[in-house]
């Protein structure tokens, strides 16, 4: 049975996430208004500009419905800007969902010319290392109790976290051809 | 649970990837740090740092060049969103200077006075990604062949008249639709006809879309203009003079951001368009002399 996965489509690379889901046994749903969330089994918050997405999220009243979705045990996954939006604290004033007890530093590697690709070992993802694309990427500087670290760069910097069914990655699996993370998210949504 | 891979910077994936993160968003021209903050607060996905907006370049005449580095640095310090800046067509030293300043994207732009009438910048050799203007598919693919990681329509900057942006976007989208139905031998002939690299024509035909992100630019002045360009297939919008040459820039900027996100929701576009105050005055393109058109610059 195909499972409906919402992709927050206020701004950013939501179409790329939709294409990844389309390659799996999942039906992507572009979420532009709160009413679009009806019947979704999970939600992806894509890459983009976190200030832009955050402002639109606030303007259209998404904060509580997304928190309710998490409360109902549905999986939520933020990539890059999505990770920022799920954080408790980013060291500056901007709209956040405060779903994960993490402190995030935005643009932690510098400007666009410091963006990079590398391979990562990710807890729970077997096989070859995962191809990870970091674009003006954030990093997780501190995690609260109960937040599990799923992946680190060689220098120990935290770039993927999980708490229960809530996930955050500083990189963009949707820009690669590797569907393993999307597949595991869809499986979790199917059984949530 | 540790990284074991080496790190590669400035790859095509990374350069094109930043443009993918800007999709569905609005990139706004700004000339001061204060304007940059207004743009970011309104929800801009990026800003374009300029010495003068296109409407003033048009009014003032003279040679339009890269912005003063001091201005670029001030704007970079004022916001957390990506900062782009324009260099003159073919002026690879201006491009190197902008790269040295750490801008996130360079627009090799026909809005500035061209520095070279035969050669565009060899963009592949740069670490920083480039966006370039186009009027048709051939021009877009030539720029991508030179290394552009993003394209936009040229439109006609500084006029507030959307007609040229519409013409260019329709042309590009129509040509993309046509090549999807061509046989391989027809693609060879077509690539020659539009003077585009064959491998990129084949890639676009296979993908059924532009190989890189494709924004609209040049004359967008209202929320409805922004939604129109999205409906025609644009991935997002550049707005130049349209915001800071209008009566209430902050409110107009927010409205254009919302119309770009919810481009299919006419009721919402109607709502955000209410009481926006004066739009930029504008110049009808049909009243411009051919030599006054900026879109003819570049090839």
């Amino acid at each position: 049975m195909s499972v409906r996965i919402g992709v927050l489509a206020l701004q950013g690379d939501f179409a790329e996430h939709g294409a990844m889901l389309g390659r799996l046994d999942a039906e992507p749903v572009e979420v532009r208004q709160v009413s679009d969330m009806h019947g979704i089994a999970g939600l992806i918050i894509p890459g983009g500009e976190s200030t832009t997405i955050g402002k639109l999220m606030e303007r259209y009243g998404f904060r509580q419905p997304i928190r309710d979705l998490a409360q109902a045990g549905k999986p939520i996954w933020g990539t890059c800007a999505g990770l920022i939006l799920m954080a408790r604290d980013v060291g500056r004033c901007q709209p956040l969902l405060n779903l994960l007890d993490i402190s995030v530093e935005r643009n932690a590697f510098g400007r666009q010319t410091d963006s990079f690709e590398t391979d990562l070992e990710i807890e729970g993802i077997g096989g070859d290392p995962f191809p990870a694309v970091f674009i003006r990427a954030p990093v997780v500087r501190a995690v609260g109790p109960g937040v599990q670290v799923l992946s680190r760069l060689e220098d120990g910097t935290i770039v993927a976290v999980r708490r229960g069914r809530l996930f955050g990655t500083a990189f963009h699996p949707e820009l690669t051809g590797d569907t393993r993370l999307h597949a595991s998210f869809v499986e979790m949504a199917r059984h949530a | 649970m540790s990284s074991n891979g080496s790190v590669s910077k400035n790859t095509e994936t990374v350069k094109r990837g930043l443009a993918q993160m800007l999709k569905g968003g609005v990139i706004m021209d700004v000339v001061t740090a204060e304007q940059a903050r207004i743009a970011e607060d309104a929800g801009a996905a990026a800003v374009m740092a300029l010495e003068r907006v296109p409407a003033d370049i048009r009014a003032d005449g003279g040679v339009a060049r890269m912005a003063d580095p001091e201005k670029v640095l001030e704007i970079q310090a004022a916001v957390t969103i990506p900062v782009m800046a324009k260099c003159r067509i073919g002026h690879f030293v201006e491009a190197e200077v902008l790269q040295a300043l750490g801008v996130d994207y360079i627009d090799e732009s026909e809005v500035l006075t061209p520095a070279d009438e035969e050669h565009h910048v060899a963009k592949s050799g740069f670490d920083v990604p480039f966006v370039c203007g186009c009027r048709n598919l051939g021009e877009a693919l030539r720029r991508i062949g030179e290394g552009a990681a993003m394209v936009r329509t040229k439109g006609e900057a500084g006029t507030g008249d959307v007609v040229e942006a519409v013409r260019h976007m329709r042309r590009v989208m129509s040509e993309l639709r046509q090549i999807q139905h061509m046989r391989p031998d027809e693609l060879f002939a077509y690539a020659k006809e539009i003077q585009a690299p064959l491998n990129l024509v084949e890639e676009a035909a296979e993908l059924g879309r532009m190989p890189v992100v494709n924004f609209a630019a040049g004359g967008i002045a209202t929320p409805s203009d922004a939604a129109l360009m999205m409906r025609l297939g644009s991935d997002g919008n550049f707005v130049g003079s349209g915001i800071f040459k209008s009566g209430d820039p902050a409110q107009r900027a927010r409205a254009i951001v919302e119309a770009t996100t919810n481009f299919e929701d006419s009721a919402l576009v109607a709502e955000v368009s209410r009481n926006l105050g004066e739009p930029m005055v504008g110049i009808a393109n049909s009243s411009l002399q051919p030599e006054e058109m900026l879109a003819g610059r570049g090839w």
Side-chain angles (χ1 to χ4, degrees):
Chain A
M1 189 196 72
S2 178
V3 57
R4 286 167 68 89
I5 305 288
V7 184
L8 194 65
L10 298 176
Q11 192 271 322
D13 71 337
F14 48 86
E16 283 77 352
H17 275 292
M20 292 295 267
L21 293 168
R23 291 170 57 185
L24 301 164
D25 190 15
E27 181 195 339
V29 178
E30 290 190 356
V31 173
R32 285 191 169 76
Q33 297 171 1
V34 171
S35 58
D36 297 330
M37 290 174 66
H38 183 75
I40 59 172
L43 179 71
I44 294 176
I45 306 175
E49 278 308 311
S50 65
T51 51
T52 304
I53 300 173
K55 282 167 208 298
L56 291 169
M57 224 166 56
E58 201 164 60
R59 206 168 304 163
Y60 300 140
F62 272 105
R63 194 168 187 277
Q64 199 51 47
I66 292 176
R67 290 181 59 85
D68 291 346
L69 191 76
Q71 201 65 44
K74 304 293 184 194
I76 301 177
W77 174 20
T79 60
C80 192
L83 166 77
I84 294 168
L85 289 161
M86 289 174 77
R88 175 179 53 76
D89 167 54
V90 297
R92 65 190 295 277
C93 186
Q94 69 178 75
L96 298 174
L97 291 164
N98 189 12
L99 284 172
L100 284 167
D101 184 6
I102 55 174
S103 290
V104 167
E105 179 185 349
R106 289 182 53 198
N107 300 337
F109 300 95
R111 300 195 172 278
Q112 169 61 14
T113 46
D114 300 305
S115 295
F116 62 98
E117 297 182 65
T118 190
D119 292 326
L120 290 176
E121 298 289 345
I122 301 175
E123 188 87 18
I125 300 293
D128 293 336
F130 197 90
V133 183
F134 291 82
I135 296 175
R136 295 180 88 250
V139 300
V140 178
R141 287 296 180 209
V143 299
V147 177
Q148 183 190 357
V149 174
L150 297 180
S151 188
R152 294 176 189 266
L153 296 176
E154 249 170 9
D155 66 1
T157 305
I158 302 170
V159 292
V161 293
R162 169 182 187 175
R163 176 165 195 182
R165 294 188 175 121
L166 306 177
F167 297 84
T169 55
F171 49 93
H172 296 280
E174 74 279 13
L175 296 187
T176 72
D178 195 323
T179 56
R180 283 177 291 168
L181 279 170
H182 284 83
S184 83
F185 184 78
V186 167
E187 277 321 295
M188 181 165 295
R190 191 189 310 281
H191 302 295
Chain B
M1 218 176 65
S2 71
S3 159
N4 62 356
S6 60
V7 164
S8 9
K9 285 186 174 184
N10 312 312
T11 59
E12 275 310 305
T13 301
V14 162
K15 289 179 175 178
R16 294 180 179 189
L18 178 55
Q20 288 172 281
M21 297 312 137
L22 300 173
K23 289 202 302 184
V26 181
I27 301 167
M28 301 182 192
D29 278 2
V30 298
V31 301
T32 63
E34 177 59 21
Q35 287 186 355
R37 277 189 286 269
I38 292 171
E40 183 175 49
D41 282 345
V47 291
M48 177 75 70
L50 282 169
E51 193 73 43
R52 292 175 287 170
V53 294
D56 288 336
I57 291 174
R58 227 174 241 298
D60 300 351
V63 177
R65 308 179 178 91
M66 170 188 84
D68 181 337
E70 185 61 26
K71 179 159 282 179
V72 175
L73 292 168
E74 272 172 34
I75 290 168
Q76 286 175 321
V79 294
T80 61
I81 56 179
V83 175
M84 301 184 166
K86 288 183 193 286
C87 74
R88 284 180 267 175
I89 289 175
H91 205 317
F92 55 86
V93 173
E94 280 189 353
E96 287 169 3
V97 169
L98 293 173
Q99 175 169 273
L101 292 172
V103 302
D104 296 299
Y105 241 94
I106 294 175
D107 185 354
E108 186 186 16
S109 178
E110 71 285 356
V111 170
L112 305 183
T113 310
D116 190 319
E117 294 190 332
E118 280 178 66
H119 310 94
H120 281 254
V121 173
K123 293 169 275 288
S124 304
F126 281 75
D127 293 340
V128 64
F130 280 76
V131 55
C132 286
C134 66
R135 289 161 296 179
N136 52 53
L137 183 60
E139 195 171 20
L141 297 179
R142 283 195 293 280
R143 297 294 86 79
I144 297 168
E146 294 158 359
M150 176 181 187
V151 291
R152 55 170 175 77
T153 61
K154 286 184 170 173
E156 193 54 36
T159 60
D161 185 348
V162 79
V163 65
E164 292 299 314
V166 167
R167 188 193 320 281
H168 300 158
M169 187 59 72
R170 277 202 181 269
R171 173 95 185 258
V172 163
M173 299 313 285
S174 165
E175 290 170 332
L176 282 168
R177 282 188 288 273
Q178 286 170 38
I179 60 172
Q180 286 175 63
H181 301 289
M182 287 184 189
R183 291 158 41 114
D185 45 7
E186 292 172 333
L187 287 175
F188 296 144
Y190 189 72
K192 188 176 155 196
E193 183 191 323
I194 67 170
Q195 299 180 297
L198 175 62
N199 65 317
L200 292 174
V201 174
E202 288 172 335
E203 187 185 349
E206 171 80 25
L207 292 169
R209 60 171 169 76
M210 194 70 83
V212 301
V213 167
N214 176 29
F215 268 45
I220 297 163
T222 69
S224 294
D225 288 349
L228 174 65
M229 297 316 300
M230 297 301 284
R231 292 281 287 273
L232 290 174
S234 179
D235 289 325
N237 290 313
F238 281 89
V239 184
S241 321
I243 289 172
F244 289 102
K245 284 286 163 189
S246 73
D248 184 345
Q251 200 191 347
R252 182 167 295 266
R254 276 196 301 274
I256 290 176
V257 167
E258 288 201 54
T260 299
T261 293
N262 290 289
F263 60 92
E264 286 180 312
D265 185 342
S266 311
L268 186 140
V269 176
E271 180 60 32
V272 301
S273 300
R274 289 171 60 185
N275 288 316
L276 279 188
E278 286 296 308
M280 70 177 284
V281 174
I283 310 166
N285 271 304
S286 51
S287 70
L288 288 175
Q289 297 300 313
E291 65 274 17
E292 295 176 307
M293 304 275 285
L294 304 178
R297 297 168 167 182
W299 36 91

